[in-house]
């Protein structure tokens, strides 16, 4: 079972002036031209490959990192690769001001933890800081001090995440 | 307390208490995958289960619409994986000749008002055009839906959009849609269901309703319903072979917010890159030089759209140096365009490519791509950077697209006399 508390290094998705980037769509996260790739292990090297200033993200990211994103992160298409490319890099969680609806579903069903935290960009956080997020309480801490508190994942979302993915959850619950 | 449309449809398809914020298990009337995502759905099913892959083969479909016929070996292989799986399991398949999946489901009477349907297409909420619940999902979700016939869903709150006033030529349903997008922006519907009301909405044809519903995702919406009128109910009734009823909101239903959009004296509109909600009147940037034009996609690939373009192009020539590509949404539209003589008008206009039905260039699967720094006017639903090639995409109505193809620059359709 996956842990409810995740600790990791963060990346704030901003422009070159440090300004929050909203409406990052699935084409910026995982471009059309790589949609033929079906192996998750091959997807990581294209993560954020169409987002100005972030093309080197796959080289910078490390296993266990956490992404902090702006509003409507993952707008656009239903492509699973836009989630799987982060799983491929070992990203543990995404905390965003808000998510595109389909993107959020895809992340939860693939076992990638997500928290919606309006105002997260107003907190004293910078890339490479280490934070701790509790998916069950919605608490976000830095140096053991709570910097934000938000709505936690729901029971079903938490159960799917803990089981590993939607398929494993379905088997556990005898729903199939 | 009364219920909104999404709450009513969900309550008919769930045993759990339906209220906004609750997570429920939803029974699915229709589940599909297409030539993008379909092969991954098969892969998930084979990896996670040992046979008995479908809860109900009759309710399960493949619809090929992105690369039709396949233009790359990879697409050809993925389509073949789906064809083989369909034969193995007895599930339905609409092959590369049929057109855009969501449109085919409506044309063939597979979805009806009040249905619940999911597929691997983020524009699945286009089914709101006939008052059905449609939702695009990733391939994990869809594989689970194939296997179980169910999905989990967080009941969204509903917003109400009152479209006030009426509009007339040269404005069209696409311009109404762009006006709504200008008002709401890219997250104005984020995570919500919506219901459209107003005189101009009631007057919309099925094709116009499809145009409006097709842009729900670009405003962040889950689903936007247009309550079916008699024309829609008659159409679906004819296609399903039985009488159908619409699902309508209760008078005392609760809405999270209301937004008014005035379309009185609406002008033709244009969405400049890189966002579909980056909308202004055509008159603000009229005269902008263009390189190419595309008419088609799930947003504007219906017969009404083809007719709007043909009325402009009749007896005229596309300006030298501009190419115009036209892709009907489905085989049915394609056949009508040929039968009614529209394709002759297109050919006479010169520099026109009329293609097999499908999605067009939206996922690089078909004609409709633009080169570096090329400026294209397009009736597709997205102009994100790199979405249809490295060029710049401006979103407009079919009439604006056709008139601009004739003039060689962005222009309002009323700059040309229209011959009926």
């Amino acid at each position: 079972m996956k842990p409810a508390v995740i600790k990791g290094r963060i990346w704030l998705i901003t422009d070159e002036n440090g300004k929050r980037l909203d409406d990052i769509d699935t084409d910026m996260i995982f471009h059309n031209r790589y949609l033929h790739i079906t192996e998750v292990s091959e997807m990581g090297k294209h993560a954020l490959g169409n987002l100005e200033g972030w093309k080197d993200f796959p080289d910078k990211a490390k296993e266990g990192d956490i992404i902090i994103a702006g509003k409507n992160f993952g707008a656009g298409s239903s492509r699973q690769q836009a989630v799987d490319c982060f799983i491929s890099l070992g990203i543990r969680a995404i905390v965003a001001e808000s998510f595109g609806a389909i993107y959020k579903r895809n992340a939860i069903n693939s076992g990638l933890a997500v928290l919606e935290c309006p105002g997260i960009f107003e907190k004293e956080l910078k890339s490479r800081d280490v934070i701790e997020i509790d998916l069950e309480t919605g608490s976000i801490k830095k140096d053991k001090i709570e910097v934000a508190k938000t709505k936690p994942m729901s029971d079903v979302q938490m159960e799917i995440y803990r089981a590993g993915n939607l398929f494993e959850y379905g088997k556990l619950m005898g729903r199939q | 307390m009364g219920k909104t449309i999404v709450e009513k449809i969900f309550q008919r398809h769930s045993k759990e208490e339906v209220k906004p914020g609750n997570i429920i298990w939803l029974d699915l009337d229709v589940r599909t995958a297409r030539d993008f995502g379909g092969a991954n759905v098969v892969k998930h099913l084979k990896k996670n289960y040992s046979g008995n892959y479908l809860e109900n083969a009759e309710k399960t479909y493949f619809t090929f619409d992105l690369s039709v016929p396949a233009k790359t070996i990879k697409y050809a292989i993925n389509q073949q994986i789906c064809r083989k799986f369909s034969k193995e399991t007895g599930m339905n398949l609409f092959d590369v000749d049929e057109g855009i999946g969501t449109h085919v489901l409506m044309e063939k009477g597979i979805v009806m008002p009040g249905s619940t349907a999911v597929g691997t297409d983020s524009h699945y909420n286009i089914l709101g055009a006939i008052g059905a619940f449609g939702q695009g999902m990733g391939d994990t979700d869809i594989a689970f839906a194939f296997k179980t016939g169910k999905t989990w869903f967080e009941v969204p709150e509903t917003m109400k959009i009152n479209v006030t006033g009426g509009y007339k030529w040269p404005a069209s349903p696409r311009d109404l849609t762009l006006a709504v997008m200008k008002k709401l922006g890219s997250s104005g519907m984020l995570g919500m269901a919506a219901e459209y009301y107003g005189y101009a909405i009631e007057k919309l044809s099925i094709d116009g309703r499809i145009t409006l519903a097709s842009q729900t995702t670009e405003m962040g919406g889950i689903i936007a319903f247009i309550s079916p009128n008699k024309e829609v109910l008659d159409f679906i009734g004819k296609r399903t072979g039985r009488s159908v009823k619409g699902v309508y909101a209760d008078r005392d239903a609760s809405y999270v917010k209301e937004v008014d959009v005035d379309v009185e004296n609406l002008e033709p509109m244009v969405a400049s890159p890189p966002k579909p909600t980056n909308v202004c009147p055509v008159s603000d940037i009229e005269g902008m030089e263009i390189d190419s034009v595309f008419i088609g996609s799930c947003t504007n690939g219906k017969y009404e759209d083809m007719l709007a373009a043909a009325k402009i192009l009749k007896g005229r020539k596309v300006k030298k140096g501009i190419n115009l590509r036209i892709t009907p949404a489905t085989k049915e539209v394609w056949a009508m365009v040929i039968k009614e003589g529209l394709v002759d008008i297109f050919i006479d206009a010169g520099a026109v490519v009329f293609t097999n039905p499908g999605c067009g260039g939206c996922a690089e699967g078909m004609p409709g791509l633009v080169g570096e720094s090329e400026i294209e006017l397009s009736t597709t639903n997205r102009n994100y950077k790199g979405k249809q090639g490295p060029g710049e995409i401006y979103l407009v109505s079919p009439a604006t697209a056709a008139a601009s193809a004739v003039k060689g620059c962005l222009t309002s359709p009323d700059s040309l006399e229209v011959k009926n």
Side-chain angles (χ1 to χ4, degrees):
Chain A
M1 298 288 253
K2 287 179 155 184
V5 177
I6 297 169
K7 194 172 178 180
R9 189 176 67 152
I10 59 171
W11 294 99
L12 272 79
I13 310 293
T14 62
D15 67 12
E16 66 219 15
N17 303 315
K19 192 171 167 272
R20 185 183 83 204
L21 284 169
D22 292 334
D23 300 322
I24 290 176
D25 67 79
T26 47
D27 261 299
M28 296 178 194
I29 300 171
F30 195 89
H31 194 257
N32 267 344
R33 73 180 80 102
Y34 305 118
L35 286 183
H36 60 276
I37 300 171
T38 54
E39 283 302 321
V40 173
S41 59
E42 292 291 305
M43 293 175 192
K45 58 187 171 212
H46 305 298
L48 298 179
N50 194 35
L51 182 63
E52 214 49 61
W54 286 88
K55 290 175 184 166
D56 59 348
F57 180 70
D59 300 326
K60 294 193 295 194
K62 278 197 312 200
E63 176 107 14
D65 284 356
I66 295 168
I67 287 173
I68 310 280
K71 289 183 181 170
N72 199 14
F73 183 73
S77 91
S78 54
R79 71 189 60 159
Q80 189 88 40
Q81 289 97 324
V83 168
D84 289 345
C85 64
F86 292 129
I87 291 175
S88 169
L89 290 174
I91 303 296
R92 289 277 190 274
I94 304 177
V95 180
E97 296 265 344
S98 60
F99 288 96
I102 303 173
Y103 192 86
K104 188 175 156 193
R105 286 190 70 90
N106 286 347
I108 292 163
N109 288 333
S110 301
L112 178 63
V114 290
L115 269 190
E116 260 172 322
C117 184
I120 187 70
F121 268 81
E122 288 145 36
K123 310 298 175 190
E124 290 288 313
L125 293 173
K126 57 183 189 308
S127 284
R128 296 186 173 81
D129 282 352
V130 173
I131 63 165
E132 192 176 279
I133 59 177
D134 187 328
L135 302 171
E136 278 176 333
T137 64
S139 170
I140 299 173
K141 289 179 183 163
K142 183 182 139 188
D143 299 330
K144 298 191 176 162
I145 297 162
E146 187 167 274
V147 289
K149 176 121 174 137
T150 189
K151 198 177 149 196
M153 282 169 81
S154 74
D155 291 347
V156 173
Q157 290 167 355
M158 200 63 209
E159 285 164 15
I160 294 168
Y161 164 77
R162 277 203 179 276
N165 62 40
L166 183 61
F167 301 119
E168 295 307 319
Y169 167 77
K171 289 171 197 168
L172 284 175
M173 299 301 287
R175 287 194 185 270
Q176 53 203 54
Chain B
M1 179 66 75
K3 289 193 179 298
T4 65
I5 296 173
V6 75
E7 289 161 13
K8 280 193 169 179
I9 294 176
F10 277 15
Q11 199 63 78
R12 290 178 190 183
H13 290 84
S14 181
K15 292 181 189 74
E16 283 138 308
E17 190 196 357
V18 172
K19 64 174 196 190
N22 279 11
I23 291 188
I24 59 161
W25 285 91
L26 190 68
D27 291 329
L28 301 165
D29 295 322
V30 178
R31 42 269 186 173
T32 80
R34 51 186 188 159
D35 46 339
F36 161 62
N40 280 348
V41 169
V42 173
K43 193 172 164 184
H44 284 308
L45 288 168
K46 299 239 166 176
K47 187 178 160 196
N48 285 284
Y49 309 106
S50 49
N52 198 16
Y53 299 119
L54 309 177
E55 188 266 338
N56 186 330
E58 275 179 34
K59 293 182 175 179
T60 315
Y61 297 81
F62 284 123
T63 63
F64 294 165
D65 50 19
L66 276 172
S67 184
V68 285
K71 69 158 194 183
T72 65
I73 293 167
K74 185 68 192 171
Y75 263 116
I77 291 170
N78 282 351
Q79 289 173 356
Q80 185 57 21
I81 289 168
C82 296
R83 287 190 192 102
K84 214 174 135 209
F85 188 75
S86 154
K87 275 184 197 154
E88 185 186 321
T89 58
M91 67 175 278
N92 304 287
L93 182 142
F94 291 115
D95 218 308
V96 295
D97 58 323
E98 290 284 358
I100 300 172
T102 48
H103 286 237
V104 172
L105 295 181
M106 289 186 268
E107 279 178 358
K108 295 194 185 292
I110 294 163
V111 289
M112 57 190 85
S115 293
T116 54
V118 296
T120 58
D121 172 359
S122 64
H123 290 106
Y124 228 79
N125 42 25
I126 208 167
L127 299 173
I130 59 162
F133 177 80
Q135 191 59 46
M137 294 177 174
D139 42 59
T140 298
D141 239 334
I142 296 299
F144 188 83
F146 274 29
K147 172 70 183 171
T148 66
K150 290 178 194 297
T151 190
W152 64 271
F153 216 90
E154 185 175 343
V155 181
E157 291 187 297
T158 302
M159 68 183 288
K160 195 173 186 179
I161 302 167
N162 302 306
V163 177
T164 59
Y167 63 86
K168 50 183 187 294
W169 170 267
S172 70
R174 182 62 188 264
D175 301 302
L176 179 156
T177 306
L178 287 164
V180 171
M181 298 179 78
K182 181 178 167 67
K183 178 86 180 195
L184 290 183
S186 55
S187 50
M189 231 188 251
L190 193 63
M192 282 180 256
E195 293 174 9
Y196 285 106
Y197 294 99
Y199 169 73
I201 298 295
E202 281 160 34
K203 293 258 289 182
L204 284 177
S205 65
I206 293 181
D207 294 358
R209 287 164 189 245
I210 287 172
T211 299
L212 177 58
S214 77
Q215 296 264 246
T216 304
T217 305
E218 283 63 40
M219 293 179 273
I222 302 271
I223 177 80
F225 294 103
I226 306 164
S227 297
N229 61 4
K230 188 170 180 308
E231 185 200 341
V232 174
L233 293 177
D234 286 350
F235 172 85
I236 301 291
K238 219 161 108 187
R239 298 308 173 106
T240 54
R242 57 193 169 105
S243 81
V244 291
K245 284 184 181 161
V247 178
Y248 303 94
D250 289 329
R251 277 174 192 275
D252 58 344
S254 170
Y255 296 92
V256 64
K257 64 173 173 175
E258 285 196 39
V259 172
D260 293 338
V261 182
D262 182 21
V263 295
E264 191 73 30
N265 303 318
L266 180 67
E267 289 181 58
M269 308 292 268
V270 54
S272 302
K275 283 187 188 178
T277 50
N278 193 15
V279 174
C280 69
V282 164
S283 55
D284 281 10
I285 51 172
E286 192 147 15
M288 176 186 70
E289 285 193 26
I290 58 169
D291 300 298
S292 64
V293 179
F294 176 79
I295 298 174
S297 88
C298 62
T299 301
N300 279 116
K302 295 294 278 184
Y303 183 74
E304 184 177 290
D305 305 313
M306 303 285 129
L307 188 61
K311 281 183 177 178
I312 302 264
L313 293 170
K314 192 172 181 183
R316 294 200 171 92
K317 295 281 181 203
V318 169
K319 184 157 187 189
K320 195 165 189 276
I322 307 285
N323 71 75
L324 166 61
R325 302 180 298 283
I326 301 177
T327 299
T330 64
K331 181 161 70 178
E332 186 174 307
V333 175
W334 186 77
M336 256 176 99
V337 170
I338 294 170
K339 194 175 152 201
E340 300 293 326
L342 269 50
V343 78
D344 295 333
I345 297 171
F346 297 153
I347 289 166
D348 290 344
V352 178
V353 184
F354 183 68
T355 79
N356 197 55
C359 291
C362 276
E364 293 193 12
M366 287 182 74
L369 301 176
V370 291
E372 199 86 49
S373 75
E374 192 176 343
I375 293 182
E376 171 156 293
L377 295 187
S378 173
T379 70
T380 52
N381 45 49
R382 289 181 183 146
N383 55 1
Y384 297 146
K385 186 171 168 261
K387 178 72 186 162
Q388 291 170 57
E392 305 276 308
I393 307 278
Y394 290 75
L395 306 175
V396 292
S397 76
T400 300
S404 304
V406 170
K407 287 216 160 180
C409 62
L410 177 66
T411 191
S412 169
D414 62 351
S415 67
L416 298 172
E417 189 194 338
V418 173
K419 300 157 191 175
N420 280 302

